């Protein structure tokens, strides 16, 4: 094995899943799965059901040796059980023949989260019968396809299916019960055991399962894996490791339960569903363990924390975001986590063969003409392959690596906005275009490893030379300045396209002189964002000062101050700018970005722009708040909105609407003129006099929600009995209201850290994309 090569026979390929690419959800007798019912998105996905031949050809052209796909249970047994639907199985027949002709080895996954809705209606995974139906389904699929499939994976990521599907409810079927989540996890494991027995009895060559595994660590360990832990942190790490990893590894591979798990399950619905003999059934010998690795889990002990709904039993543990580079999902990029994980698996299960069945990243792809120069995805995969290779060299028995994923697709609850594909899909036309990462991966496969040296990326100089102009002219074109003639511009853009040049932060400006000063520009007022502003000032300052920068604080409160700030930046008196823009439309961000000096923003700007920003997922937070009310049985839910020109309010309203729509309900809205408590109270009085039968109110911010509580008291409505109330922000006062306010927590410190990190990346000339952090529901007495 050369210094960048992989062992002979190492298997290279890609993974996909049925629901995410197939489309054709009612073709040839297929009936809905839980994802058809749950998702608000168009279901045609990549129309792979009709375009599979083209997709196989693509894989062949890219040199793939292996293809992991999943079978849709709802195609094979539309009602979940009974007589198999031959027409549904025919599709996989055609697919396998095509793969066979292309010389690509199929790896079939039987369950990638798409339970037939008919089985959910009969109890879903919390019901033990589902495990038995799963084994029957596995046998039926094997009977029809077993002559062409050697390797079978029973389940994909049962943690996600059980705890996001039945615990937090952010995935289908959207139930929110800790007890049901634990029951589901056990029945999935049981289904795995029974299906493995059935497959072996039928003569399957190799049977395995796919788990999402993540090393669990504290923030300090992200940069130093060996860092010793306090007793409290060590306990937090062990507990989350038991929930995330060992809950599945130990029953499957050792026939036992991790000690930390049982008391947690006992407290959350009990262990009545675990029967004698189940563990023996689950612990069937495995030929191959599929490992999906994206990012580590970063936690620390924090006594006041409530359990996260996706992690019942996580009381007293804080899930942290860390100041490292992240993908567009907000997932920290920690390639070393993969070596760590593989080292541990090899140590704990030395005889087990492993395969990386998923690894990849969502980035915002820049499409230039016909090309997609996704340099970030290439770096991501390359760094993970280096980490993988290091583990293999130390003896980890990893037999192959499959990228997630072939095509941009339907990313579950996130819909079409996530881009994980090596191949770009235009969803209006279904046209496929390989991104640079696909072509780069083809070369990796060809040479069975990475190139010894990294290819040099084209620079500003290369483009200038090719176009026959100066660096300054290239920079002007890249920055969209109008002072360049159309012919020169066309010539530069041609060179940019031909060379696959991606302008980075450094090249966007021609700054050669470093000042080591950073401007922190505050616009006032930010609506109710005082705590956030304070945190940003504190964290951004200390982090950037730690990196040797000097901070200049500037106030952007008048037109004159805007002019002064722009002039200051244009004069290159600073290397970069952190801007806390006002909530409403304002052109300062755009004017600053045109100076060529790197700028980052706090909060999605009101005017769409290319300047990267840090924000929280307001829409998802509002959807979670609304889904929580729905899960409590509330059906007549009103919303107190703030002024609609505020981007945050728009996003929160969108999330609220989407959640109601999914439940077949319509919104009842009242607009508050501003974000004060008084406006919240006034809007509530209007809302309740228009629709007196409302049994819940979601308010766009906590201040408004406190106004809702006040109005409810005035009207003699009891909270939560008559009216459940949920806010957004988790301001300090939210925990001090009577009753305590259920709300959505905005991770203030994390936003500040992300902002500082984003600016540092830009100063280093790294490619950066905006960061959207998750917001999390905090349940108190008001709902
Ligand atoms: C994994 C899933 C896969 C895809 C990637 C991004 O958890 O198995 O379907 O959603 O994440």
């Amino acid at each position: 094995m050369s210094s960048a090569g992989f062992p002979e026979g190492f298997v290279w390929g890609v993974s996909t899943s049925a629901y995410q690419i197939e489309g054709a959800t009612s073709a040839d007798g297929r009936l809905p799965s839980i994802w058809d019912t749950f998702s608000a998105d168009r279901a045609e996905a990549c129309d792979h059901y009709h375009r599979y031949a083209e997709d196989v050809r693509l894989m062949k052209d890219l040199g793939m040796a292996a293809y992991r796909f999943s079978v849709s249970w709802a195609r094979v047994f539309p009602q979940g059980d009974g007589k198999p639907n031959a027409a549904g199985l025919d599709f996989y027949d055609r697919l396998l023949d095509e793969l066979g002709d292309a010389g690509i080895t199929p790896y079939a996954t039987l369950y990638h989260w798409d339970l037939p809705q008919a089985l959910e209606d009969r109890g879903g995974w919390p019901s033990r019968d589902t495990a038995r139906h799963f084994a029957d389904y596995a046998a039926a699929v094997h009977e029809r396809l077993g002559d062409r499939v050697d390797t079978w994976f029973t389940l994909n990521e049962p943690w996600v299916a059980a705890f996001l599907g039945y615990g937090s409810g952010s995935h289908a079927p959207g139930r929110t019960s800790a007890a049901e989540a634990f029951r589901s996890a056990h029945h999935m494991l049981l289904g795995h055991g029974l299906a493995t027995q059935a497959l072996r009895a039928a003569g399957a060559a190799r049977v395995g399962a796919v788990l999402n595994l993540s090393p669990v660590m504290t923030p300090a360990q992200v940069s130093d894996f060996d860092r010793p832990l306090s007793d409290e942190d060590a306990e937090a790490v062990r507990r989350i490791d038991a929930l995330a990893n060992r809950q599945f590894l130990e029953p499957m591979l050792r026939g036992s339960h991790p000690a930390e798990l049982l008391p947690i399950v006992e407290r959350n619905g009990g262990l009545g569903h675990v029967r004698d003999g189940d563990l023996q059934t689950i612990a069937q010998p495995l030929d191959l363990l599929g490992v999906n690795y994206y990012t580590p889990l970063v936690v620390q002990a924090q006594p006041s924390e409530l359990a996260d709904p996706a992690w019942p039993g996580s009381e007293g543990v804080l899930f942290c975001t860390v100041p490292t580079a992240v993908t567009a999902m907000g997932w920290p990029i920690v390639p070393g986590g993969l070596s760590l994980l593989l080292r541990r698996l090899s140590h704990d299960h030395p005889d087990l063969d492993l395969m990386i069945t998923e690894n990849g990243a969502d980035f915002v792809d820049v499409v230039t003409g016909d090309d997609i120069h996704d340099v970030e995805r290439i770096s991501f995969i390359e760094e993970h392959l280096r980490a993988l290779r290091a583990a293999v060299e130390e003896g980890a028995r990893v037999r192959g690596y499959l990228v997630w994923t072939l095509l941009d697709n339907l990313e579950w609850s996130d819909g079409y906005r996530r881009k994980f594909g090596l191949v770009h899909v235009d969803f209006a036309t279904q046209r496929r275009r390989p991104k640079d990462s696909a072509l780069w991966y083809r070369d990796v496969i060809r040479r069975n490893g990475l190139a010894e040296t990294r290819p040099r990326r084209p620079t500003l100089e290369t483009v200038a030379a090719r176009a026959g102009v100066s660096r300054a002219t290239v920079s002007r074109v890249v920055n969209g300045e109008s002072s360049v003639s159309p012919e020169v511009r066309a010539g530069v853009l041609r060179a940019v396209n031909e060379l696959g040049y991606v302008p980075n932060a450094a090249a966007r400006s021609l700054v050669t002189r470093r000042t080591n000063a950073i401007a922190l520009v505050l616009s006032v007022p930010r609506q109710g964002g005082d705590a956030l502003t304070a945190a940003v000032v504190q964290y951004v300052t200390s982090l950037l000062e730690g990196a040797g920068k000097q901070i200049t604080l500037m106030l952007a409160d008048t037109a004159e101050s805007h002019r002064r700030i722009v002039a200051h930046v244009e004069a290159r008196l600073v290397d970069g700018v952190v801007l806390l823009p006002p909530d409403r439309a304002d052109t300062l961000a755009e004017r600053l970005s045109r100076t060529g000096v790197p700028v980052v923003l706090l909060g999605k700007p009101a005017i769409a722009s290319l300047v990267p920003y840090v924000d929280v997922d307001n829409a998802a937070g509002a959807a979670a708040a609304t889904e929580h009310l729905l899960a409590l049985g509330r059906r007549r839910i009103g919303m107190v909105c703030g002024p609609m020109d505020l981007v945050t309010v728009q996003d929160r309203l969108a999330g609220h609407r989407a959640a109601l729509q999914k439940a077949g309900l319509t919104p009842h809205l009242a607009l508050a003129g501003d974000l004060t408590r008084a406006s919240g109270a006034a809007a509530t009085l209007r809302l309740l006099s228009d629709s007196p039968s409302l049994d819940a109110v979601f308010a766009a911010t906590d201040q408004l929600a406190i106004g809702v509580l006040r109005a409810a008291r005035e009207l003699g409505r009891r909270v939560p009995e008559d009216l459940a109330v949920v806010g957004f922000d988790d301001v300090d006062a939210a925990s001090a209201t009577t009753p305590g306010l259920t709300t959505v927590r905005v991770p203030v410190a994390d936003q500040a850290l992300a902002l500082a990190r984003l600016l540092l990346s830009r100063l280093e000339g790294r490619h950066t994309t905006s960061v959207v952090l998750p917001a999390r529901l905090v349940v108190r007495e008001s709902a």
Side-chain angles (χ1 to χ4, degrees):
M1 184 157 107
S2 80
S3 68
F6 279 72
E8 219 182 288
F10 192 83
V11 178
W12 298 99
V14 282
S15 282
T16 64
S17 89
Y19 175 73
Q20 293 178 274
I21 62 168
E22 284 180 0
T25 49
S26 50
D28 302 322
R30 183 190 182 280
L31 288 178
S33 75
I34 51 176
W35 272 99
D36 298 278
T37 313
F38 182 78
S39 173
D41 288 293
R42 291 174 292 116
E44 70 255 48
C46 308
D47 194 31
H48 172 76
Y49 192 78
H50 298 113
R51 295 167 196 264
Y52 67 94
E54 178 188 351
D55 293 337
V56 172
R57 208 173 320 123
L58 247 171
M59 287 193 271
K60 182 176 181 199
D61 292 345
L62 293 172
M64 305 290 172
Y67 176 48
R68 170 177 169 248
F69 66 99
S70 83
V71 177
S72 152
W73 190 343
R75 282 196 200 287
V76 180
F77 286 104
Q79 299 287 358
D81 64 350
K83 207 169 93 51
N85 169 30
L89 278 162
D90 286 347
F91 166 67
Y92 298 102
D93 230 22
R94 296 191 290 274
L95 172 66
L96 287 171
D97 285 345
E98 202 74 31
L99 289 166
D101 291 346
I104 298 172
T105 308
Y107 288 69
T109 305
L110 288 163
Y111 188 67
H112 203 123
W113 309 350
D114 45 357
L115 186 72
Q117 181 62 40
L119 286 183
E120 171 62 18
D121 295 341
R122 287 191 258 156
W125 283 108
S127 155
R128 191 175 173 95
D129 286 344
T130 303
R132 200 170 35 78
H133 294 313
F134 179 60
D136 295 343
Y137 152 67
V141 177
H142 181 273
E143 186 173 326
R144 180 71 181 277
L145 309 177
D147 55 337
R148 279 151 300 160
V149 177
D150 274 349
T151 308
W152 297 86
F153 291 115
T154 53
L155 305 174
N156 176 72
E157 303 194 355
W159 182 87
V160 175
F163 288 87
L164 301 188
Y166 293 87
S168 72
S170 59
H171 274 202
R175 292 204 236 170
T176 48
S177 150
E180 288 183 345
F182 282 118
R183 288 175 73 92
S184 298
H186 179 70
H187 292 146
M188 285 177 196
L189 284 166
L190 184 64
H192 157 79
L194 294 170
T196 305
Q197 286 174 337
L199 290 167
R200 289 222 197 282
R206 295 202 298 170
V207 184
V210 174
L211 299 179
N212 53 309
L213 298 175
S214 290
V216 186
M217 56 185 74
T218 60
Q221 287 183 320
V222 174
S223 46
D224 174 9
F225 294 156
D226 299 324
R227 180 88 155 235
L229 296 182
S230 68
D231 290 349
E232 295 75 24
D233 281 344
E235 189 278 329
V237 164
R238 262 199 318 275
R239 184 144 44 99
I240 299 306
D241 183 59
L243 287 166
N245 300 320
R246 281 177 290 129
Q247 177 167 199
F248 301 93
L249 285 170
E250 290 196 8
M252 279 183 179
L253 298 169
R254 296 200 203 284
S256 60
H257 284 124
E260 298 90 338
L261 184 70
L262 296 179
I264 296 178
V265 184
E266 195 68 80
R267 281 203 306 278
N268 285 282
L271 283 155
H273 57 283
V274 181
R275 300 203 187 151
D276 283 352
D278 282 0
L279 280 171
Q280 285 90 302
T281 307
I282 296 168
Q284 298 301 310
L286 281 196
D287 302 300
L288 187 62
L289 178 69
V291 175
N292 292 355
Y293 173 73
Y294 291 93
T295 192
L297 280 162
V298 186
V299 300
Q300 71 188 37
Q302 179 117 319
S304 62
E305 251 338 87
L306 301 174
D308 182 314
W311 297 95
S314 69
E315 294 85 356
V317 178
L318 177 69
F319 288 84
C320 314
T321 42
V322 280
T324 56
V326 290
T327 67
M329 290 288 254
W331 295 348
I333 303 174
V334 187
L338 180 59
S339 338
L340 190 68
L341 181 66
L342 293 172
R343 241 176 258 141
R344 162 190 170 175
L345 289 170
S346 310
H347 174 269
D348 293 353
H349 310 282
D351 300 326
L352 184 64
D353 273 3
L354 305 171
M355 181 162 204
I356 306 303
T357 34
E358 288 182 27
N359 175 238
D362 166 36
F363 288 111
V364 179
D365 292 323
V366 184
V367 184
T368 30
D370 254 359
D371 301 324
I372 299 106
H373 303 305
D374 55 340
V375 281
E376 291 161 307
R377 187 167 294 99
I378 294 178
S379 314
F380 181 97
I381 298 175
E382 177 173 357
E383 287 166 18
H384 284 79
L385 285 178
R386 288 196 195 282
L388 169 57
R389 201 186 160 285
V392 169
E393 193 145 75
E394 289 168 27
R397 298 165 55 130
V398 184
R399 303 308 184 208
Y401 175 87
L402 309 178
V403 171
W404 183 268
T405 182
L406 177 66
L407 305 169
D408 287 342
N409 63 26
L410 179 45
E411 174 59 27
W412 308 111
S413 309
D414 279 354
Y416 292 94
R417 69 194 170 110
R418 299 295 176 197
K419 308 290 174 192
F420 276 91
L422 295 175
V423 175
H424 178 273
V425 176
D426 177 339
F427 288 101
T429 60
Q430 290 292 351
R431 177 174 169 215
R432 274 84 161 132
R433 270 181 292 178
K435 304 177 191 175
D436 283 0
S437 56
L439 308 176
W440 171 88
Y441 191 48
R442 180 189 60 192
D443 294 340
V444 170
I445 299 173
R446 246 186 225 155
R447 67 170 99 81
N448 193 33
L450 297 165
E452 298 284 343
T453 52
R454 287 165 177 243
R456 261 173 56 83
R457 286 189 193 151
T459 61
L460 201 63
E461 285 74 13
T462 343
V463 179
R466 168 81 62 108
V469 298
S470 71
R471 286 169 75 220
T473 303
V474 177
S475 171
R476 266 188 238 124
V477 172
V478 165
N479 288 304
E481 283 179 29
S482 53
S483 60
V484 185
S485 76
E487 304 79 65
V488 173
R489 177 182 305 279
V492 170
L493 288 179
R494 205 173 320 115
V496 164
N497 278 334
E498 285 166 7
L499 292 167
Y501 169 71
V502 180
N504 62 22
R508 271 178 172 276
S509 76
L510 285 178
V511 191
T512 43
R513 180 163 57 91
R514 287 281 177 188
T515 61
N516 269 338
I518 302 292
L520 181 52
V521 179
L522 304 181
S523 317
V524 278
R526 279 192 65 80
Q527 297 268 6
D530 311 346
L532 186 56
T533 308
V536 168
V537 173
Q538 182 193 334
Y539 284 97
V540 168
T541 305
S542 73
L543 244 141
L544 292 177
E545 281 181 352
K549 311 284 176 200
Q550 279 164 19
I551 307 299
T552 314
L553 202 56
M554 306 185 89
L555 269 193
D557 51 351
T558 58
E560 168 55 22
S561 67
H562 285 200
R563 202 199 48 72
R564 207 168 13 83
I565 292 165
V566 173
H568 189 82
V569 176
E570 264 171 354
R572 302 279 188 258
L573 296 175
V574 291
D575 294 345
V577 180
V578 178
L579 175 60
L580 280 59
D583 300 298
R584 296 185 164 82
D586 166 283
T587 54
L588 184 58
E590 280 311 296
R591 286 166 68 195
L592 287 173
S593 77
R594 278 200 298 271
T595 62
V597 170
V599 180
V600 297
L601 305 181
L602 177 68
K604 188 162 88 183
I607 308 174
S609 91
L610 290 175
V611 185
Y613 60 82
V614 174
D615 204 351
V616 288
D617 199 337
N618 285 300
T626 309
E627 280 156 10
H628 174 72
L629 290 169
L630 290 167
L632 294 176
R634 306 293 163 127
R635 282 288 171 280
R636 293 179 304 277
I637 307 176
M639 177 172 175
V640 171
C641 281
M644 286 310 300
D645 55 339
L646 301 181
V647 182
T648 325
V649 172
Q650 291 164 16
D651 286 354
R652 291 178 188 177
L653 173 60
H656 174 67
R657 270 185 200 283
L660 287 181
Q661 195 187 345
K662 216 184 278 169
L665 300 175
T666 46
H668 303 270
L669 306 179
L671 285 189
D674 55 36
L675 296 180
T676 58
R677 296 174 183 196
S679 296
T684 310
L685 295 177
R686 268 183 278 122
L687 188 65
L688 291 175
S689 82
D690 290 350
S691 323
S693 65
L694 292 185
D695 56 13
V697 174
F698 168 54
T701 71
D702 284 351
Q703 296 300 339
L704 291 175
I706 293 172
V708 178
L709 293 178
R710 190 192 290 169
R713 205 172 312 125
E714 266 169 43
L715 294 171
R717 301 258 187 140
R718 289 170 309 154
V719 176
E721 293 82 352
D722 308 335
L723 194 72
V725 179
V726 180
F728 205 121
D729 285 333
D730 200 22
V731 296
D732 281 346
S735 58
T737 55
T738 333
L741 184 64
T742 291
T743 180
V744 181
R745 178 173 303 168
V746 168
V748 166
D750 292 339
Q751 280 188 87
L753 289 173
L755 200 58
R757 190 180 59 208
L758 194 60
L759 183 67
L760 286 175
S761 311
R762 297 212 66 194
L763 293 177
E764 285 164 16
R766 285 182 76 117
H767 302 286
T768 48
T769 47
S770 298
V771 177
V772 178
L773 297 169
R776 197 146 68 69
L777 191 72
V778 179
V779 179
R780 299 200 184 91
E781 299 83 44
S782 72

